[in-house]
Amino acid sequence: MVDHDTLRDYRPPQPALESFSGEGLVLYCGDDLPSIGTAAAVIGPDDHRLWTVVQRHAGARRVHAWSFATPDWLAPGLPIELTDRPAGFALPRDGVLRFDEEMIRPLGEDDDGLPLWPEAPQWAELDPKRPSLNLGIDVLDVLAPIADGGLNLIVDTSSDDAVFHHLATRLFEAAEPRSLLVTAEDSPLLSKPSPSFHLPPRSGVQGHIAALQCTIALATELRQTPSSLAVVELPPISSPPEFDASNANKGPRSGIADIVARLGRHLVSTKDGRITTVLRLHVPQDPTGLGAIIDTLSLGDVDATLFVDGDGRFHPGRSHSRADVDDATALRRRELLQTLELAGRARDKSAIFGDQELTDAERRALEDSQTLRPSLMPK
């Protein structure tokens, strides 16, 4: 039986903060769902506002949002304010982004801030040219050259940061960029002429993802100069993709692939400005065998993948590149690949029948293949 008094006294739930974890928030919005990328505020004591950016629609009249801070006054049930204005941030004068609760704000029509959720460049705007950049490391420059103006992934399974810092420095010297973006905390590039933008890494996967969204937002600024370099640290693959609940059952590899794909849509070269991007995915060797399966990942449409083994050496079998090379380099690449293929067959043959069954050509291929894995550690 319907209780008419209960129906008469019913009041629909009002828009409010429903829950939060780290810097991710769930907002109950009612019937007026805000658009992705717009600003929404949680209203605290004394009318103080924590501005957030709407990340995605979660169903049931709710959205997922995030901010760069969780002040002490934040609590479920606080009222919220929804807007139709894009969430953004001001460009820091010194180039260093400071992630705090004051960083995000709604952008006005004449606001010179950057939107946190920009539109990716259209296909017709893109520059398809991908010349190779010579780092002065012979085998790498032949088998897996860095793509100038492209998206380059360094899968680093070494134990420390030395190899990545060394490669990033060589890339900076080869590219001679007019502007620079660095997300690493400790990088030799920070001692170069001041980087245009420095995004110190943040704790936790969720904070890391939010900082990467700022990297995406800065892509438009990087394209204001003819040549830019973006040096970006990805979250460790051993961490779960906490930033997006829809990935909760997909495992860390799916989350990383989503991140690379999104970066690849925005950190792109156009006819107005080129961005050479190098992404570092650090996968320390561990008992779970993540380093051994990394080559099975589907990591978006990268132009070059450079694999560094646990000893800091170039791994040619897991590295590849679509960068344009001249005819002489292309011919040498085919010769080196043939050597690697013959050496692989020779190792299999030796394991079954012993070294005494190897031909002279197979023995030479085994010897030569060792020179195709040079150390990438700085000297």
Side-chain angles (χ1 to χ4, degrees):
M1 182 175 178
V2 177
D3 186 335
H4 293 285
D5 290 337
T6 301
L7 290 176
R8 186 172 54 253
D9 295 337
Y10 171 75
R11 296 291 183 270
Q14 297 301 302
L17 170 63
E18 186 169 277
S19 64
F20 64 95
S21 176
E23 293 161 352
L25 305 92
V26 178
L27 309 179
Y28 175 77
C29 303
D31 293 330
D32 298 324
L33 280 180
S35 301
I36 305 300
T38 56
V42 179
I43 305 174
D46 300 322
D47 206 36
H48 188 78
R49 281 164 167 74
L50 173 68
W51 286 102
T52 72
V53 57
V54 176
Q55 179 186 19
R56 68 181 181 88
H57 294 155
R61 299 183 174 89
R62 290 163 173 80
V63 300
H64 283 253
W66 50 258
S67 183
F68 290 116
T70 51
D72 293 340
W73 54 260
L74 206 62
L78 288 173
I80 63 174
E81 176 186 343
L82 305 176
T83 75
D84 59 1
R85 295 156 64 184
F89 61 96
L91 283 173
R93 291 187 178 182
D94 61 359
V96 180
L97 269 68
R98 294 170 178 83
F99 303 104
D100 55 39
E101 62 181 278
E102 305 295 334
M103 181 174 175
I104 297 177
R105 68 168 194 247
L107 299 180
E109 292 184 3
D110 299 323
D111 201 316
D112 60 358
L114 291 180
L116 271 166
W117 224 268
E119 294 289 333
Q122 299 298 310
W123 183 84
E125 303 175 67
L126 301 181
D127 183 356
K129 297 188 292 294
R130 293 292 182 269
S132 57
L133 270 174
N134 192 324
L135 300 188
I137 304 172
D138 182 58
V139 174
L140 186 155
D141 290 336
V142 173
L143 290 176
I146 295 292
D148 185 10
L151 188 68
N152 303 277
L153 176 66
I154 296 179
V155 180
D156 187 358
T157 67
S158 60
S159 59
D160 56 35
D161 300 330
V163 169
F164 179 65
H165 290 338
H166 179 55
L167 291 173
T169 300
R170 282 184 176 253
L171 179 54
F172 177 86
E173 294 168 350
E176 298 182 340
R178 299 280 187 88
S179 58
L180 173 67
L181 180 149
V182 178
T183 69
E185 178 71 55
D186 179 22
S187 169
L189 297 183
L190 297 175
S191 64
K192 301 291 183 182
S194 297
S196 305
F197 301 107
H198 179 208
L199 286 73
R202 313 191 67 231
S203 62
V205 175
Q206 205 170 61
H208 205 141
I209 298 302
L212 289 178
Q213 188 63 43
C214 288
T215 301
I216 288 172
L218 288 166
T220 302
E221 287 297 308
L222 293 177
R223 281 190 289 270
Q224 299 303 309
T225 58
S227 174
S228 298
L229 175 63
V231 179
V232 179
E233 291 265 9
L234 295 173
I237 196 171
S238 56
S239 301
E242 300 168 4
F243 66 99
D244 188 343
S246 66
N247 281 330
N249 297 318
K250 296 181 182 179
R253 291 184 291 165
S254 177
I256 293 294
D258 290 345
I259 298 167
V260 173
R262 182 158 175 76
L263 290 169
R265 289 194 296 271
H266 290 267
L267 292 173
V268 293
S269 296
T270 66
K271 295 166 185 176
D272 295 325
R274 296 178 65 75
I275 303 177
T276 300
T277 301
V278 56
L279 308 175
R280 185 210 189 189
L281 179 59
H282 190 212
V283 190
Q285 295 286 359
D286 58 28
T288 64
L290 285 171
I293 63 172
I294 190 68
D295 52 347
T296 68
L297 299 181
S298 175
L299 287 174
D301 194 22
V302 298
D303 296 293
T305 297
L306 193 160
F307 195 102
V308 180
D309 69 17
D311 296 322
R313 294 182 174 276
F314 173 65
H315 194 308
R318 292 179 177 177
S319 304
H320 58 83
S321 173
R322 298 183 305 190
D324 298 328
V325 297
D326 57 32
D327 292 342
T329 302
L331 175 61
R332 184 150 179 256
R333 176 187 289 176
R334 288 194 294 271
E335 293 172 346
L336 295 183
L337 290 175
Q338 289 172 354
T339 297
L340 288 170
E341 183 179 3
L342 182 56
R345 294 201 302 267
R347 277 189 289 271
D348 293 341
K349 183 178 179 180
S350 175
I352 298 173
F353 301 108
D355 291 348
Q356 66 275 9
E357 296 298 323
L358 296 180
T359 66
D360 290 342
E362 290 169 336
R363 294 177 189 278
R364 284 195 300 272
L366 283 173
E367 293 175 1
D368 292 343
S369 67
Q370 297 304 310
T371 67
L372 303 184
R373 301 185 64 153
S375 173
L376 301 178
M377 296 289 289
K379 297 180 180 178

